[in-house]
């Protein structure tokens, strides 16, 4: 696993689509994932949120990338949204059976809660314990209801070693980011227009400085650009990757 304190931040995108405008930065041959993974060290699989993928699909993805490449996989909405994290043993077993085909290239599970789902102590404790028992990898959580930023929520995330996501924009967050583990997981959705807007150079420069501070402190840093709707994620991520010594 990439966990060296001196390693460059893990910069990538939500998905491996390469817009034509950025194609020159990638090898000309290979599948989209193979080309993407030749440049970036990580990717966040968001399609798993909407639909299941066959185990052989995950196996093929794992075989398409270099040995040190890592995947973050978004937990299905059937678990986080429809079931609200309750009575999910069957759903979770199916998901685990699929994702296990990534093997040691599974770096993180991403949990994103719906904006209307409040934090419930017992439910969250049990849910995150089941995730860790089933997968044994880093877990990151992007809560989007204000109660996910309460003292008790912070306590539970710390107890279960779940990394609170640093999101932009930060839905539901009433104040400054309060970390819950030594790891960092940043999700950048685009601003001012979520999913569409490119980030300014000033914003990216400040981000690089922040990531370097985390790196110097010995933290494992993930930074995922999710402003994919208009193809802005890849150029933004390339800028940050190069500035942090990963490109």
């Amino acid at each position: 696993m990439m966990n060296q304190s001196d390693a460059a931040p893990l910069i990538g995108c939500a998905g491996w689509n390469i817009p034509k405008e950025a194609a020159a930065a990638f090898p000309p041959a290979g599948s989209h994932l193979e080309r993407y993974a030749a440049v970036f060290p990580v990717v966040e699989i968001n399609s798993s949120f909407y639909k299941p993928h066959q185990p052989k699909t995950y196996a093929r993805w794992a075989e398409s990338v270099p040995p040190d490449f890592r995947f973050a996989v978004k937990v299905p909405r059937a678990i986080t949204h429809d079931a609200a994290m309750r009575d999910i043993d069957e759903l979770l077993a199916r998901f685990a059976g699929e994702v296990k085909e990534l093997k040691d290239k599974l770096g993180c599970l991403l949990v994103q809660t719906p904006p209307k789902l409040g934090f419930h102590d017992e439910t969250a404790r049990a849910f995150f314990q089941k995730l860790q028992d089933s997968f044994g990898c880093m877990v990151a959580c992007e809560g989007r209801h204000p109660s996910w930023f309460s003292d008790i929520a912070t306590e539970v995330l710390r107890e279960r070693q779940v990394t609170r996501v640093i999101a932009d924009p930060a839905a539901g967050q009433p104040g400054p980011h309060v970390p819950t583990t030594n790891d960092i997981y940043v999700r950048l959705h685009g601003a001012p227009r979520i999913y569409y807007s490119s980030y300014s150079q000033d914003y990216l420069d400040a981000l690089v400085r922040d990531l370097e501070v985390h790196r110097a402190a010995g933290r494992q840093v993930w930074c995922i650009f999710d402003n994919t709707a208009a193809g802005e994620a890849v150029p933004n991520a390339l800028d940050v990757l190069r500035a942090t010594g990963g490109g």
Side-chain angles (χ1 to χ4, degrees):
M1 297 288 289
M2 290 182 180
N3 200 25
Q4 304 96 330
S5 62
D6 59 347
L10 303 178
I11 313 298
C13 302
W16 48 80
N17 184 55
I18 300 172
K20 288 188 293 184
E21 295 78 6
F26 298 86
S31 69
H32 285 291
L33 177 55
E34 288 170 336
R35 295 170 62 214
Y36 172 98
V39 175
F40 288 114
V42 295
V43 73
E44 186 182 277
I45 299 176
N46 267 285
S47 55
S48 55
F49 178 73
Y50 299 101
K51 63 180 182 179
H53 296 297
Q54 294 184 8
K56 65 182 181 181
T57 300
Y58 283 103
R60 184 178 73 249
W61 289 341
E63 293 166 358
S64 299
V65 300
D68 58 354
F69 188 89
R70 294 294 178 265
F71 293 88
V73 184
K74 193 171 183 180
V75 175
R77 65 174 298 148
I79 293 173
T80 57
H81 289 49
D82 300 340
M85 303 181 180
R86 296 183 174 93
D87 301 320
I88 47 85
D89 288 358
E90 184 176 340
L91 291 168
L92 189 59
R94 174 180 176 175
F95 179 54
E98 297 160 356
V99 175
K100 71 177 183 181
E101 293 301 323
L102 292 176
K103 299 180 180 177
D104 61 355
K105 292 172 184 173
L106 173 62
C108 184
L109 290 179
L110 171 66
V111 175
Q112 186 187 59
T113 68
K116 293 182 179 180
L117 180 65
F119 176 84
H120 185 271
D121 184 353
E122 292 182 5
T123 299
R125 287 180 194 273
F127 173 69
F128 289 121
Q129 188 64 59
K130 288 177 179 179
L131 284 187
Q132 290 167 331
D133 290 346
S134 298
F135 295 90
C137 66
M138 176 181 172
V139 177
C141 179
E142 183 180 1
R144 294 188 292 169
H145 184 276
S147 61
W148 281 88
F149 301 93
S150 65
D151 290 344
I152 184 61
T154 298
E155 177 185 320
V156 170
L157 294 178
R158 286 175 174 165
E159 177 186 303
R160 290 293 188 253
Q161 284 295 292
V162 175
T163 298
R164 175 178 279 147
V165 167
I166 301 173
D168 181 73
Q173 184 172 319
H177 176 74
V178 177
T180 54
T181 70
N182 197 49
D183 297 326
I184 301 295
Y185 197 104
V186 182
R187 297 192 83 220
L188 302 170
H189 302 297
R193 189 182 181 194
I194 190 169
Y195 306 129
Y196 284 85
S197 293
S198 176
Y199 285 96
S200 69
Q201 192 60 53
D202 286 346
Y203 183 96
L204 296 178
D205 290 344
L207 173 65
V208 168
R209 291 192 293 269
D210 288 344
L211 296 182
E212 290 294 349
V213 168
H214 293 310
R215 173 185 180 180
R219 301 183 178 104
Q220 179 176 347
V221 180
W222 294 65
C223 181
I224 301 295
F225 284 86
D226 188 35
N227 51 337
T228 56
E232 302 293 353
V234 168
N236 282 175
L238 284 171
D239 284 349
V240 175
L241 182 74
R242 292 164 180 157
T244 55

